[in-house]
Amino acid sequence: MRYETPDPLHPALLPGLIAAEDGLARLDERAARHAVAEGFRERGQFFDAAAALWVAGELVHVEDLVLHDSHMDARAPSHELTIAHAVLRARRRLDLAEPGWALSLSGLNALRGEQGAVPANGGRSEAPDHPPDREEAGEAAVDGEDNPLANEFAELDAAMARSQQLLDFHAGSLAEAASPLSAERMAPERTAEPTGQLGLLFDEDWDEAARLDAWRGVLAAADQLPACLGAAVLFDAWERIEPLRRQHWLGSLLVGAYLRCRGKVASHVLGFNTGLKTIRHERRRSKDRSARLNAFLEAMAVTADLGLKELDRLSLSRTQMEMRIKDRRSNSNLPGLIDLVLSRPIVSTAMIARHLGVTPRGALNLVRELGVREITGRGRYRGWGVI
């Protein structure tokens, strides 16, 4: 599982490398100082999570992801939506962590669920619109805080374990009653049941730890290259080595973490998937490594261009909405609604009511006064946002 790093002065890579380096430098400079930088970062989390599923060949609507994140689903969440929410949570974790945490062994183990390590906070505090989930509750318990939600989950796990033991006991009793000889043959199989069950779900020859070590071995070589080319090399190595079986989408998130660690895009975790989904599959999966690296570099340049356009769009929308509330009273809820609309791709009546502490009818009145555009086209579960 060795991976040879390319020559950074290769003539075929220079144009794409220059475009990516220049575009990301411009994006980072504007995103770090812009008035809507916080909303740009929050919206980018949702767009990149949906784009990660697009790259994997699945379609997840951004509005469904926003509603699911706020526990306001219009319907039962699909399997793809659940994966997209896992991508969203991983991105938020990377955004709150120190720049180099995700590339460390402890960070990778935490991101793939092997240990409950808590990333060091870089000075920002997360304030999601939903109660803490099981993983976050477990982290709070590690910190020594009294967390009743974690206790409830622990009791639920214990009850499920007792139920499984009881089912196994009755299954064994029925087998022994049916045939002593067959029960005798099945006894060694029951002792090896955990391994057999894992074999049905996972490939036992797939050594994730060894593959992760092989991928992390490319880090030292990538550090000797320009930041964008190093990130492209790491992503290409991730695609070739395939370290994880269930979380292959993590590689695209580590591109943003690496660029942040190198200081190329320090203002936020780059939404690499938003640009990668514009690249044709044939180029991303080409047999020629130079073609693949050029495709990844172009994806970074496209991501930077889309980010700059998003900042312009949010800035213009903020100016227009602030003009509408110019003569409003000082205790009006409209400024809070502006911040909420700019921080989410879509907002619903229930989200506005909960965030601002008003009634659903009051939320509708605020939306009408602000003139936010309705973007779902539905009679129920409507949503408003900036396009």
Side-chain angles (χ1 to χ4, degrees), residues 1 3 206 211 214-215 218 236-243:
M1 290 185 287
Y3 183 88
W206 195 296
R211 289 173 180 263
W215 180 80
V218 185
D236 186 54
W238 184 278
E239 293 286 301
R240 299 295 104 188
I241 298 174
E242 296 183 349

Side-chain angles (χ1 to χ4, degrees), residues 4 9 18 22 29 37 70 113 120 174 178 186 251 261 266 271 273 301 316 343 345:
E4 299 294 334
L9 298 179
I18 294 172
D22 181 62
E29 181 67 21
S70 301
L174 289 174
M186 291 174 63
C261 179
N273 289 297
L316 179 60
S343 66

Side-chain angles (χ1 to χ4, degrees), residues 66-253:
V66 175
L67 293 175
H68 179 69
D69 181 60
S70 301
H71 294 277
M72 297 178 182
D73 301 83
R75 62 189 66 85
S78 62
H79 179 63
E80 293 78 15
L81 182 58
T82 306
I83 297 176
H85 192 245
V87 178
L88 176 65
R89 291 176 56 232
R91 280 192 55 88
R92 285 173 172 166
R93 206 169 186 188
L94 292 177
D95 189 49
L96 292 171
E98 291 292 338
W101 173 79
L103 301 173
S104 64
L105 185 58
S106 60
L108 286 172
N109 287 336
L111 288 171
R112 67 192 184 105
E114 289 298 319
Q115 64 185 31
V118 182
N121 196 314
R124 294 194 302 270
S125 60
E126 185 180 18
D129 288 337
H130 57 85
D133 53 16
R134 180 176 180 179
E135 185 176 1
E136 293 167 350
E139 293 173 359
V142 172
D143 289 339
E145 298 178 0
D146 186 14
N147 196 324
L149 185 61
N151 297 333
E152 293 291 338
F153 277 123
E155 293 178 4
L156 182 61
D157 290 340
M160 293 176 63
R162 290 194 298 269
S163 301
Q164 186 62 42
Q165 291 178 359
L166 186 61
L167 289 173
D168 292 343
F169 174 77
H170 283 298
S173 301
L174 289 174
E176 291 175 2
S179 171
L181 183 58
S182 62
E184 185 176 338
R185 286 200 307 266
M186 291 174 63
E189 294 180 5
R190 284 203 303 269
T191 24
E193 185 178 358
T195 306
Q197 289 177 349
L198 288 176
L200 292 174
L201 298 175
F202 305 114
D203 183 3
E204 296 179 3
D205 295 331
W206 195 296
D207 192 347
E208 284 193 351
R211 289 173 180 263
L212 275 177
D213 289 339
W215 180 80
R216 293 187 72 244
V218 185
L219 278 170
D223 289 341
Q224 307 302 318
L225 302 173
C228 290
L229 183 57
V233 164
L234 285 178
F235 184 69
D236 186 54
W238 184 278
E239 293 286 301
R240 299 295 104 188
I241 298 174
E242 296 183 349
L244 304 184
R245 294 164 289 190
R246 297 180 296 110
Q247 295 172 298
H248 189 68
W249 45 262
L250 186 59
S252 59
L253 273 61

Side-chain angles (χ1 to χ4, degrees), residues 44-59:
Q45 310 277 31
F46 292 96
F47 287 124
D48 189 66
L53 271 292
W54 178 287
V55 172
E58 303 290 348
L59 178 62

Side-chain angles (χ1 to χ4, degrees), residues 266-322:
S267 58
H268 64 285
V269 179
L270 183 72
F272 179 61
N273 289 297
T274 57
L276 187 62
K277 77 173 188 177
T278 65
I279 308 300
R280 293 182 61 85
H281 180 270
E282 292 80 6
R283 296 183 58 197
R284 289 189 273 117
R285 294 289 185 176
S286 173
K287 294 182 179 180
D288 182 19
R289 184 176 63 172
S290 296
R292 295 196 307 268
L293 293 177
N294 264 320
F296 301 148
L297 290 172
E298 183 180 337
M300 295 179 199
V302 172
T303 302
D305 185 54
L306 293 174
L308 292 173
K309 292 180 180 178
E310 177 76 357
L311 284 171
D312 292 337
R313 183 163 50 249
L314 292 180
S315 179
L316 179 60
S317 299
R318 183 185 184 90
T319 302
Q320 291 176 340
M321 288 187 288
E322 286 178 344

